[in-house]
Amino acid sequence: MNDYKCTVCGYTYRPERGDKLHSIDPNTDFKDLPDDWKCPTCNQPKMAFEEIK
C-alpha cells in the first residue's frame, strides 16, 4: 500500500494510519476509500491525489 499526496495542499494519506476525521480504519488502501472521500485538510476529492512511490 502506497501513500498518496494531495496536489492542492500537500496532505499525505498514509494507509497505515487511516483517517480518523472520516472514520477510516488504519490499513485501508487508498483505492478502498469511499468514492466521496475528501482530503481532511482542504476538502479536495480523491482525484486531486497522486500516488507516492
Side-chain angles (χ1 to χ4, degrees):
M1 289 188 288
N2 290 330
D3 294 348
Y4 283 75
K5 185 175 185 176
C6 179
T7 59
V8 176
C9 73
Y11 168 83
T12 300
Y13 174 77
R14 292 182 169 85
E16 67 274 5
R17 293 185 184 170
D19 175 9
K20 289 182 183 179
L21 182 66
H22 294 108
S23 300
I24 303 296
D25 291 331
N27 299 313
T28 300
D29 198 359
F30 187 82
K31 67 178 177 58
D32 295 328
L33 293 173
D35 290 337
D36 61 349
W37 180 84
K38 296 189 185 308
C39 177
T41 301
C42 70
N43 211 36
Q44 292 296 309
K46 284 175 69 174
M47 65 170 44
F49 282 73
E50 60 184 17
E51 186 173 11
I52 301 171
K53 296 183 179 185

